[in-house]
Structure formats: C-alpha cells, structure tokens
Amino acid sequence: MNDINALYNEWLEKAAIDPDLKEELESIKGNDEEILDRFYRSLEFGTAGLRGVIGAGTNRMNYYTVCRATQGLSDFLNKHFENPSIAIGYDSRIKSDYFSIEAAKVLAANGIKVYLYKELQPTPCLSFAIRHFKTSSGIILTASHNPAKYNGYKCYNSNGYQMTDEEAEETYGYIKQVDYFTGIKTMDFDEAVSKGLIEYMGDEVIDAFLDEVMKQCVNPDIVKDAGLKVIYTPLNGTGNKPVRKILDRIGVKEVYVVPEQEMPDGNFPTCPFPNPEIKQAFECALKMAEEIKPDLLLATDPDCDRVGIAVKDGNGGYKLMSGNEVGAMMLNYLLSQKKEKGTLSESSIAVKSFVSTDLAEVIAKKYNCTFKNLLTGFKYIGELITQLEAQGKADDFVMGFEESYGYLAGTHARDKDAVVGSMLICEMAAFYKAQGKSLAEVMDSIYDEFGYYFNTVSSYTFEGASGMEKMAGIMDGLRADTPKAFGGMEITVIDDYKTSVSTNTADGSTSKIDLPKSNVLAYTLTDGNKIIVRPSGTEPKIKAYITAIGKDKAAAQAIADKLIADADELMK
C-alpha cells in the first residue's frame, strides 16, 4: 500500500491538466480502499484497447491514461510506417470528444497525420474511414454499451479491424515505457490544423459510407410500398443521423424517434444500461408503441455497432428478439433471396463467433453456403473478409454476426455495423410484411423447420482487485478438475481454446483447434447441447453461453434451466 500511496501522492501533485482529477483525488484523501481501487493497476491495453471507469488514477480513463496510450501508439506507428496516419472517431460518452481532441494533439506532436470526424459517429464509420483514407491505424473513443461511468479507447489497424494480439502486445510494450507526466508529447490543436497534421473529415465520407451500406440491399424497392412503421431509439448515442438517413434512403417514411433518447447524452438519463440486449433499453420505445403500434422497434447502442429489435408478438404486444434469432433470420433472408435472384456465389461464405447459435450453420448448409466459426471478437470476422478480399473473393462474403447483437453484411466496414443491420432488418420486415407475416412468425417458421435452438448467456461479475483473481481461479479450477456432465447430460467433447486441444471424452482422442489461443472452455453435451465458459475481454465478468436444443421452446427451456443452474454453481 505504501507504493500505491506514493503513486497517489504523485498524481495529487502533478495531475493538473484536468481539474476534475484534482478534485476527485482530494476527495479520497485518507481513504485507502478508494485509493487502492484507482491505483492498484494501470489500465491494460489489449486488442480491445483500453476500457475503464472515468476518473482519476492509473486504473481510470482520464487525460493521462488516454494520452499515455496515444504516445505509445505513436511510437508503434512511427516504427512500422514511414509516414503514418490515423483516423479518429468518438461517441456520445462523457469526455469522448475531449479525449479525441487530446489524442489527436499527441499524434500530431509525433508527426502523425490525423483525420478527425467533426462530430460523433458510429464505430463502423471509423472502420470505414481507415480504409477510405488508407490510414495506418484508427482510434475510437467509446465504451460501447457499458453504463455511463465507463469510457474506452479502441485501436484499429490499417485493415480497419481491431488490432491483432501481436500488434496490441507490441503497442502495450511502448505504452508501458511512457511516463504519465513527462513522457507525453503534445502540441496546440490549432497549430496542428494549420500545419496540416490534423484534418477534419467532410460530410462526403459519411455519404460514401452510406452509399456502400445501400449496396447490401437485396430487395431495394420492397420497402417504399410496404407501409412499414418503425420506432427507433439511438439510446442517446451516435446512430441518430446515419440510421435515420439510411432508413429514409430505402423508403421507410414512418420513423418515430424516441424523444428522450434522440440527442447525444453520455449520462443516458432514461437508460442507465444503454444495451439493446436488455429490455430496459426498450422501455421508452415500448411505451410509445402503445399509441403508434409500429411493425418494428429498433434500438442501437451508443456507438451504433449493435442493434436490437422488438417485434409484434401476435397478442397485441411486442417481444424482444435475441441477437442469435436476428442473426439466424437475417442469414436465412439473405441466402434465400440471393439464391432466388441467382446472385448467390457458389463459393459463398457466412461466419459467426463460436459462442453464437449453431442454428445459423444449419441454415447455411441448406443453401450450400460455406460456414465458419471464429473466436469471439469481430476482428476475426474482419480478418476473414480481408483474406477474401486479397484473394479477389470479397463478393463471396454474405454476412457475419455475433450473438451480442452485432451484424455485418458487405465489406465496407471490418467491424459490426448497426447501420447496415438496421437497414437489412427493416428491408426484411417489409419483405415479409408484404407476405402478411411478422418477423416473429418468420422466426417461428425457422424453428419449425430446423428445431428450437434456445440460446442464453449468464454473466457473473467479479469487481475490483480480488475479482480478477477469482475469475482466474475459476478457469484454472475447471481445467484442473474437469467436469463430467452438465445438466445431467454427459460431456462428449471438451474444447480448450487456451491449449488449442479438442478432446473426445469417449475415447480420449484429441485434435488441434485451428484458431488463435483464447482463455475459453467449450463443452459439447449429448444431442448437441453446449455450454461455453469465457471471461470477458472488456469487463470484469465470466460469461456462460448456453445452447439448448429441443423440439419446441418448452423442451429447450427445460434443458437450458438445468445448464444455467450448474453454471451458477461453478461461479460461486
């Protein structure tokens, strides 16, 4: 604790640039627990960049942690590129605009050309800008769907997807060499602009992005005559302008925006958890729906890379659809329509994260579409698209998705994109509405054809310094004392992505998992049921991904309940 108090005192003395930090540090003087939480570690830089609570200290998002990371990134870029450049975007979160400006000043001081969005924009727009300007890297200031107290700093490489493990590790090595108070170069913003080191991107970049999104329509004329009625909430984030523009382009004329959640606001006053995966994010939209009675409710998260929906349930109300359901339904729509129109490539390929529903793989098989399962993290999908593009096969890519409400059709971005996702969901809804079907009915017909796949995620939070140790202990314990069954079902295959070994429990035979190493354990049970245990890469959580397959929802739910109960026991 003596070292931590010394660090605290150094910050109290030197952290003068942001007056909020000084005030916060003064307020915790003498409180060992509060000091420990802010200084027991430095925010780690990984493939997802930095993420943490906004505030003072090495374990917080603030001017010094952001600029230290940017200085390290600058050193990395100057080593690997002769004339490096970078694109920067930011969302509606507290201090996102401020951090973006300060990061730009550090990069400019290191001789790196910066292209800066002049207002908040979705994460996929940042991915697009990297490739549009052919920059060496990209940064977006966002904490995605986390509560208001968080912010984050995500780094991208020249391909437009998040840094690989190797790139992040090398960058982190440079970051650790930077002193918080003496090692950061910076320069005056106006001077950097006048010297051409910082340049604001024009509206034409967003227009070019939307043009590429439009190319993903498979039935471009279906919407304008469908009379589709949509309630949309950007959850006080970045989706408001681009999503409304793209819906207008495809002909959705009746778009009702939730007024309390329309404008950017990093406090998220009506939605403390601005995550379209949870029902609370739809509360205001559902209240509006009582009067408007729309066909569809859309919600995009603050950085507009995820989109969730609620659809008519047939009983006068609305039901939320899961990311797995939307991903499977969207894939079924794209494949069926491309095949009908003769535009489905014979070497077509679709992809998902390995924790997402296996229903998608079954659907792809019906259309003779190659299917790949990749590690969680959209960068792996971005890598695959880049490989296809290098082979001249970019048009083979149909779509990729993650169960956490992230979808991408097209190759305009190398990250999940709620703008193209929102567009295709509305197009799909219009297509089926013309046939007299709701999206809920369409999903039911898919289950009738392929079986009911019940997918759910249980999250277990472990806060603070002791939480990290607890999470590591749980994963180590599972490897040291291998379970024999879950939910009363025998384990048939154990996939350990950390050792890259897949083990058949019947005969003990093993095979190699041809994916990057990751601290994940996957257990396949009888009849294709699954449980996957994975520590989050961005939050202090372990997640258990459950797959339960039954002839109907009740049968699958009963299996899932047993698996969840066993997962709960593991996390105690």
Side-chain angles (χ1 to χ4, degrees):
M1 192 68 200
N2 288 338
D3 289 343
I4 288 174
N5 274 321
L7 196 55
Y8 163 75
N9 287 326
E10 181 185 20
W11 275 65
L12 189 61
E13 177 188 348
K14 297 179 179 178
I17 290 177
D18 185 343
D20 291 346
L21 305 186
K22 184 81 169 177
E23 184 179 338
E24 180 181 340
L25 291 167
E26 289 282 5
S27 73
I28 62 169
K29 188 176 287 187
N31 188 328
D32 287 348
E33 186 177 342
E34 292 290 346
I35 292 171
L36 175 66
D37 188 44
R38 285 164 176 77
F39 291 97
Y40 79 89
R41 64 166 190 161
S42 293
L43 286 179
E44 291 187 14
F45 183 94
T47 56
L50 303 173
R51 186 172 296 184
V53 174
I54 302 163
T58 58
N59 188 36
R60 293 287 189 270
M61 286 289 295
N62 54 61
Y63 169 86
Y64 296 98
T65 54
V66 167
C67 290
R68 178 178 182 249
T70 308
Q71 181 62 54
L73 176 63
S74 300
D75 295 338
F76 169 83
L77 293 175
N78 276 320
K79 177 187 175 183
H80 289 280
F81 298 89
E82 188 171 338
N83 294 297
S85 58
I86 194 165
I88 300 180
Y90 60 94
D91 70 0
S92 62
R93 286 185 174 272
I94 297 165
K95 293 187 182 288
S96 278
D97 53 349
Y98 168 66
F99 290 152
S100 71
I101 293 291
E102 296 304 325
K105 289 160 61 176
V106 172
L107 289 154
N110 283 274
I112 297 169
K113 173 65 182 277
V114 179
Y115 296 93
L116 184 65
Y117 273 115
K118 60 184 179 183
E119 66 178 2
L120 72 173
Q121 294 292 349
T123 288
C125 294
L126 184 274
S127 177
F128 175 82
I130 291 167
R131 298 176 66 252
H132 181 82
F133 290 104
K134 296 180 171 58
T135 64
S136 318
S137 183
I139 299 168
I140 189 156
L141 283 303
T142 177
S144 189
H145 57 286
N146 288 98
K149 67 179 181 178
Y150 286 90
N151 210 328
Y153 174 106
K154 289 165 66 173
C155 280
Y156 290 69
N157 64 19
S158 59
N159 292 314
Y161 51 80
Q162 287 182 42
M163 279 186 164
T164 63
D165 295 337
E166 295 77 16
E167 291 165 333
E169 186 176 351
E170 185 179 346
T171 302
Y172 191 33
Y174 282 109
I175 293 170
K176 288 189 284 190
Q177 296 173 35
V178 178
D179 184 272
Y180 286 98
F181 302 108
T182 62
I184 298 166
K185 298 177 186 176
T186 189
M187 70 184 296
D188 179 74
F189 184 84
D190 292 337
E191 180 188 355
V193 172
S194 68
K195 289 183 175 180
L197 286 165
I198 295 176
E199 178 183 326
Y200 278 112
M201 298 182 226
D203 291 339
E204 69 276 3
V205 180
I206 293 298
D207 290 337
F209 168 80
L210 294 175
D211 290 344
E212 291 300 313
V213 170
M214 278 290 292
K215 292 177 183 178
Q216 300 314 307
C217 290
V218 287
N219 285 300
D221 298 323
I222 196 75
V223 180
K224 65 178 184 294
D225 297 322
L228 197 69
K229 193 182 291 187
V230 178
I231 289 178
Y232 169 57
T233 171
L235 297 178
N236 301 116
T238 60
N240 188 33
K241 288 185 178 181
V243 170
R244 292 169 76 173
K245 283 180 181 177
I246 204 69
L247 295 188
D248 183 65
R249 281 198 187 192
I250 66 170
V252 186
K253 300 305 179 185
E254 288 192 83
V255 178
Y256 301 85
V257 181
V258 176
E260 307 97 312
Q261 298 171 341
E262 179 179 4
M263 302 308 293
D265 187 341
N267 292 299
F268 311 117
T270 60
C271 188
F273 297 93
N275 183 352
E277 296 180 63
I278 60 176
K279 187 173 183 179
Q280 185 192 51
F282 283 89
E283 283 182 356
C284 292
L286 286 166
K287 189 172 182 181
M288 282 181 68
E290 294 173 8
E291 180 180 345
I292 293 171
K293 303 194 185 311
D295 298 289
L296 180 68
L297 286 73
L298 286 173
T300 54
D301 69 343
D303 69 323
C304 196
D305 63 352
R306 304 167 192 251
V307 55
I309 67 172
V311 300
K312 288 181 176 178
D313 62 7
N315 298 312
Y318 293 84
K319 62 180 285 187
L320 271 62
M321 299 197 76
S322 72
N324 278 315
E325 288 178 319
V326 174
M329 187 164 44
M330 191 184 295
L331 179 62
N332 186 70
Y333 172 71
L334 291 173
L335 289 174
S336 64
Q337 291 306 295
K338 285 174 179 283
K339 183 176 181 179
E340 185 176 305
K341 295 174 185 303
T343 59
L344 184 62
S345 164
E346 290 184 2
S347 50
S348 61
I349 183 169
V351 62
K352 69 177 180 67
S353 62
F354 70 121
V355 298
S356 302
T357 182
D358 293 336
L359 176 57
E361 194 164 357
V362 180
I363 290 169
K365 187 176 181 180
K366 175 183 176 180
Y367 295 98
N368 297 315
C369 174
T370 300
F371 201 89
K372 287 190 178 291
N373 285 285
L374 301 177
L375 291 179
T376 299
F378 228 86
K379 67 176 179 289
Y380 297 111
I381 296 175
E383 282 181 329
L384 176 70
I385 298 171
T386 301
Q387 290 164 9
L388 289 171
E389 192 172 60
Q391 298 163 11
K393 297 179 178 179
D395 290 343
D396 289 347
F397 179 73
V398 177
M399 70 168 284
F401 79 96
E402 291 184 330
E403 50 74 39
S404 52
Y405 293 58
Y407 318 100
L408 176 65
T411 61
H412 58 283
R414 300 297 153 89
D415 209 339
K416 47 192 177 287
D417 177 7
V419 182
V420 76
S422 297
M423 181 191 77
L424 286 174
I425 287 166
C426 287
E427 181 190 315
M428 185 166 61
F431 176 81
Y432 290 117
K433 183 179 180 180
Q435 300 175 19
K437 299 176 187 175
S438 71
L439 290 183
E441 289 169 330
V442 173
M443 195 67 231
D444 286 342
S445 68
I446 291 173
Y447 284 139
D448 288 341
E449 182 176 357
F450 299 106
Y452 199 97
Y453 284 69
F454 187 92
N455 298 93
T456 187
V457 183
S458 293
S459 293
Y460 306 89
T461 302
F462 303 90
E463 296 279 9
S466 61
M468 302 300 288
E469 294 178 14
K470 176 74 171 173
M471 288 167 64
I474 288 170
M475 299 303 293
D476 290 343
L478 285 170
R479 290 187 171 94
D481 186 14
T482 304
K484 299 294 188 291
F486 283 103
M489 290 173 284
E490 183 182 343
I491 296 171
T492 59
V493 178
I494 300 172
D495 293 322
D496 189 338
Y497 290 85
K498 188 175 184 179
T499 61
S500 300
V501 174
S502 177
T503 304
N504 185 314
T505 59
D507 57 14
S509 61
T510 61
S511 58
K512 186 177 184 297
I513 298 172
D514 191 21
L515 287 173
K517 293 184 183 297
S518 183
N519 187 18
V520 178
L521 286 163
Y523 304 92
T524 301
L525 314 172
T526 52
D527 299 326
N529 299 292
K530 281 185 181 178
I531 180 166
I532 300 174
V533 183
R534 170 185 169 266
S536 171
T538 56
E539 301 169 282
K541 293 179 179 179
I542 291 181
K543 296 184 178 181
Y545 298 83
I546 307 292
T547 298
I549 307 169
K551 67 180 189 304
D552 55 31
K553 184 176 182 179
Q557 177 78 63
I559 294 169
D561 289 343
K562 293 177 183 177
L563 296 177
I564 292 167
D566 278 3
D568 291 347
E569 284 297 315
L570 283 178
M571 302 301 160
K572 288 183 177 177

